[in-house]
Amino acid sequence: MPPLIRKYRLRRSHRLSGKREFEAVYAEKLRQPLGPICLCAKPNDLGHPRLGLSVSRRVGGAVKRNRIKRLLREAFRIGQHDWPGAYDVIIVVYPHKTAMLSEYQHMLITGIQRLDRHIKLRESK
């Protein structure tokens, strides 16, 4: 059997797009605040996670907002195979000083693990 090959691409199918998809995640009311970001999640049946970003103008100018979005997409792309399940996740960004990629990676994996535990507890009741 050949070794498992992980693809670290961020395809269009791994992104949330459209008002309905965002509203469905927000309606689930599963939130995990983590300092300068907040993760909103909803389980999906696709077999892979999907990402949505919400970065308001209060965060800063276009250059700063785009840098934060690039870093968050990269953190998601690198860590998506380590996630405990398939979730639709929206990252809401609050005003803060731009962090390093490793900090965003740590925030994402910590947040999704907490959300996963919360979802499993909720399903077991």
Side-chain angles (χ1 to χ4, degrees):
M1 182 177 201
L4 178 67
I5 298 172
R6 291 182 167 183
K7 299 208 178 199
Y8 290 96
R9 297 179 71 180
L10 185 58
R11 295 181 180 264
R12 183 81 179 135
S13 62
H14 290 145
R15 292 188 185 183
L16 291 174
S17 63
K19 188 176 180 178
R20 286 190 181 143
E21 290 180 351
F22 274 74
E23 286 175 350
V25 175
Y26 287 133
E28 193 73 20
K29 296 195 184 210
L30 284 171
R31 289 174 170 70
Q32 181 62 53
L34 294 158
I37 66 172
C38 179
L39 299 180
C40 303
K42 173 184 175 255
N44 71 34
D45 298 327
L46 300 173
H48 61 81
R50 295 192 304 169
L51 175 70
L53 294 170
S54 176
V55 185
S56 76
R57 287 190 195 151
R58 291 185 312 148
V59 172
V63 173
K64 183 175 181 178
R65 289 194 317 268
N66 288 331
R67 171 119 176 101
I68 290 170
K69 287 191 285 187
R70 278 195 311 271
L71 288 168
L72 287 170
R73 274 191 220 104
E74 182 68 4
F76 171 79
R77 185 186 71 82
I78 292 169
Q80 66 185 330
H81 298 294
D82 299 326
W83 285 29
Y87 295 101
D88 290 345
V89 176
I90 296 174
I91 303 172
V92 180
V93 180
Y94 301 117
H96 69 284
K97 183 180 173 201
T98 306
M100 303 271 301
L101 176 62
S102 60
E103 294 174 64
Y104 287 127
Q105 285 177 295
H106 180 70
M107 283 187 244
L108 285 181
I109 195 69
T110 302
I112 202 63
Q113 287 172 346
R114 288 180 188 171
L115 283 168
D116 184 59
R117 271 184 265 140
H118 183 72
I119 290 168
K120 288 182 178 166
L121 281 173
R122 193 167 81 168
E123 288 175 352
S124 67
K125 290 183 181 182

